[in-house]
Amino acid sequence: MAGTRSSTRQAAAAASTSSQNQPTPAQNGTAGAKRKAGSTTASSQSKRGRKAAKKEQTTIEETMPATTTEPDSKDTEMKDEPEPATAEAETSKSADIKPDEKAEPGVSAPANGATDEHQTQLAADRETDQPEQNGLATKNGDAVQESSKREESTPSSILEKGIIYFFFRGRVGIDEPSEVGDIARSYIILRPLPHGAKLGDGPIGDSGHNRMLALPKKVLPVSPKDRFMTFVEKAKASMDDIKSSLSASDYMTKTAGSRHTPAAAPIGEGVYAITSTGRETHLAYILTIPSEVDEVQKGVGLRQRGSYVTSAKNPETSAPAGASLPKGAEYPKEILDEFRGRGWMPLEPKLLDYQNTQFLLIGHHEDSLEKATVPQPDDEKTDKEEPKAEMEKLEHEDDVRVQHLKGDDTVFEDLGLSSKEYPKLQTTW
C-alpha cells in the first residue's frame, strides 16, 4: 500500500543517503520527495497566443441556446461568450517515450550484521514492486501495466479508475486569466485505465478511449448546494481529437475583425475513481500536480483530494430552460431502460462513452473523499483493498512516474502536447 505524502518525503531522504547497493525508488516503488508546484526538469517558456490552422468544428458551447437572464446559483450557467471553432493542433506526433528499462540489480550480501531475514525481505519487496512476469501486460510500451494481482485486490465499488486532468481557457483575447471572471470554460479530461492497472515509468499511451468533459459553470462545486451540469463534449476520443479542442485559434468577425481564442491552460493532474456507495455514485480524485494547491486551484474549487456526487440525466425527459443541450446523448434502448422512466440515475462509466451525456456534479464538504470511498460489505467479505487505499496506491505510482518524467510538464508529455504551444501549468493569478 502506498505511503502517505509525508512518508513519501521521508523515504526519499533515506534513499539519497543509502549505499549504491540499496534499490532506487524506481525499483522498490517508494516515491521520492513531493515536487514543489511549478518545478520541472525540462521546462520551457510558453508562447501564448500562437496561431494555429483554422478548422471547422462545432463545439457544445456553440449549440447552446442564448439566455438573457442570469441563472439561479443552484442552476447551471449555460450561456457563455461563444467560442469559435477550435483549430487543429500540429499534426506531427512526438516520438513515444519509452519507460526506463534498467535491469534489476541482484541482491547484495548482508552488510554490517544485516540478517538473512532482512536480505530476504528486501528481495521480496523488489519482487512485489517490479512488474509481474505472469498476469501483467504493458500496453504499447507506456506506463500502464495490467496486473492480475492488482485486479483481484481492487474493490468492486471502484467502477472505473484512471488519470484525470483539469484545464481552463481564458476568454477571447485573454491568454492569462487573472481571476475567475476571465475564464471562458473549464474542462476535465478522463483517461480510463484497466481495472487491474498499475503505473510504471513513462507517459500514458493513447488508448483512443479518452473523454473530454465541459463545465459551463467554469468552476467546480464546493458544497452540497452547488449542483453544476457537466457535458461529455468528446467521447472515445484520440489524443489528436483532444489536442484540437485545447489548442488556440484565430477567426474573423464582421464587427470586431480578427479575434484570438487562447489555448487551454492546465491547472491540475492526478488520479480519479468513479465509485459506488450503494444508492449514489461519486467522481473522486487525488491531485498529483501541483503538489500543493494554490490560489488558482482554490479559485476554481479544486482541492488536493475531493469528490462529487454524480447523477446522469435522462435525455428523454425535459430540463429547465438553458440547462440542457439541444440534442441529448443517443443511448441504446438497454441504457434508456435503466432509467425506468426517471429523470435521473447514478452516473455509470458507460454513460461517459456517449457524446452529449449530461450529468450533475454535486459538491461535498471537506471530507468528500472519505464519503466517496466507504468500503462496501461485499468487498469487506472478500478481503478486497479499501477504495481509498487503492486510490492512494495509484496516486503514489503516479507521483513516482511524474518525478521520473518531466515534473509538472508531464501533463504535456501525457497528452502529446507541445509545451511551447500551451500555457504552463498555472497556480497563481
Side-chain angles (χ1 to χ4, degrees):
M1 177 173 161
T4 62
R5 296 176 181 274
S6 61
S7 63
T8 298
R9 288 192 290 270
Q10 294 169 359
S16 64
T17 58
S18 62
S19 65
Q20 294 181 352
N21 289 330
Q22 191 71 15
T24 66
Q27 295 162 342
N28 62 19
T30 303
K34 198 69 174 174
R35 299 164 287 61
K36 296 295 184 183
S39 65
T40 176
T41 59
S43 63
S44 59
Q45 183 67 30
S46 62
K47 300 178 182 177
R48 297 176 172 83
R50 182 165 175 174
K51 292 185 178 181
K54 185 177 180 181
K55 177 187 175 184
E56 294 292 337
Q57 177 177 332
T58 301
T59 60
I60 282 180
E61 48 266 43
E62 288 182 297
T63 67
M64 299 309 304
T67 57
T68 57
T69 59
E70 183 69 14
D72 184 78
S73 61
K74 293 185 181 180
D75 295 329
T76 57
E77 178 182 323
M78 293 308 305
K79 183 62 182 175
D80 295 315
E81 176 178 337
E83 288 188 8
T86 54
E88 187 67 41
E90 295 180 3
T91 56
S92 58
K93 286 187 177 181
S94 58
D96 291 338
I97 297 181
K98 299 292 184 181
D100 295 336
E101 297 180 352
K102 297 180 180 179
E104 173 70 7
V107 180
S108 59
N112 299 327
T115 63
D116 290 340
E117 181 180 353
H118 178 66
Q119 181 182 4
T120 302
Q121 183 61 46
L122 288 176
D125 290 342
R126 276 192 293 273
E127 181 179 351
T128 300
D129 292 325
Q130 294 302 313
E132 304 167 51
Q133 296 302 316
N134 296 316
L136 182 148
T138 301
K139 284 192 173 292
N140 301 324
D142 66 26
V144 182
Q145 303 168 343
E146 294 186 48
S147 166
S148 57
K149 292 182 180 179
R150 188 68 161 267
E151 184 167 13
E152 291 173 0
S153 66
T154 300
S156 60
S157 58
I158 291 184
L159 307 180
E160 178 179 285
K161 66 181 184 181
I163 306 297
I164 189 169
Y165 309 84
F166 298 89
F167 281 78
F168 64 33
R169 187 195 304 277
R171 290 188 178 275
V172 171
I174 301 177
D175 286 328
E176 295 185 45
S178 58
E179 59 180 16
V180 171
D182 290 341
I183 300 173
R185 183 61 49 92
S186 295
Y187 303 97
I188 296 174
I189 296 173
L190 301 180
R191 305 191 69 182
L193 300 176
H195 202 61
K198 58 193 295 187
L199 296 177
D201 280 349
I204 305 298
D206 187 2
S207 67
H209 191 206
N210 309 294
R211 310 185 186 110
M212 185 171 182
L213 314 180
L215 288 77
K217 197 69 174 178
K218 309 171 191 177
V219 296
L220 293 157
V222 295
S223 77
K225 294 181 180 180
D226 297 331
R227 305 165 66 88
F228 299 160
M229 189 73 85
T230 306
F231 305 93
V232 176
E233 184 164 305
K234 290 184 179 294
K236 295 182 179 179
S238 69
M239 289 320 305
D240 284 342
D241 294 332
I242 299 296
K243 284 191 289 185
S244 70
S245 295
L246 296 177
S247 62
S249 65
D250 293 274
Y251 63 103
M252 295 294 297
T253 65
K254 293 181 179 180
T255 56
S258 178
R259 304 296 298 272
H260 172 73
T261 299
I267 56 173
E269 182 270 358
V271 301
Y272 78 92
I274 298 175
T275 65
S276 172
T277 54
R279 299 182 63 182
E280 294 179 334
T281 54
H282 308 253
L283 174 61
Y285 67 89
I286 303 176
L287 288 185
T288 302
I289 302 173
S291 56
E292 296 179 4
V293 296
D294 211 327
E295 59 183 3
V296 167
Q297 286 72 34
K298 293 176 182 178
V300 299
L302 268 178
R303 298 167 174 156
Q304 203 70 49
R305 299 176 172 215
S307 75
Y308 315 101
V309 176
T310 56
S311 185
K313 179 184 177 299
N314 185 342
E316 294 189 339
T317 60
S318 60
S324 183
L325 295 174
K327 182 179 181 181
E330 297 181 352
Y331 297 139
K333 184 178 183 302
E334 55 267 25
I335 290 182
L336 290 173
D337 289 345
E338 292 182 29
F339 282 93
R340 293 183 292 177
R342 298 170 299 177
W344 303 87
M345 65 177 279
L347 179 70
E348 296 184 10
K350 61 187 177 183
L351 300 181
L352 298 176
D353 290 335
Y354 293 88
Q355 188 173 2
N356 293 347
T357 284
Q358 306 171 56
F359 63 96
L360 285 175
L361 290 179
I362 304 171
H364 267 314
H365 292 300
E366 292 294 336
D367 60 349
S368 61
L369 186 64
E370 303 290 340
K371 292 181 178 179
T373 55
V374 175
Q376 298 303 294
D378 289 345
D379 290 330
E380 290 181 319
K381 292 177 182 178
T382 55
D383 199 28
K384 297 280 189 178
E385 188 83 87
E386 291 189 359
K388 181 181 175 183
E390 169 58 28
M391 287 193 66
E392 290 175 337
K393 184 183 296 184
L394 190 65
E395 192 280 329
H396 167 76
E397 295 165 352
D398 190 44
D399 186 38
V400 173
R401 181 183 74 90
V402 165
Q403 291 184 58
H404 292 175
L405 201 53
K406 290 192 174 182
D408 289 356
D409 278 355
T410 297
V411 173
F412 303 111
E413 201 72 32
D414 276 353
L415 300 179
L417 306 176
S418 170
S419 60
K420 296 180 180 180
E421 301 294 330
Y422 292 83
K424 302 291 288 183
L425 184 130
Q426 192 168 336
T427 58
T428 57
W429 297 116

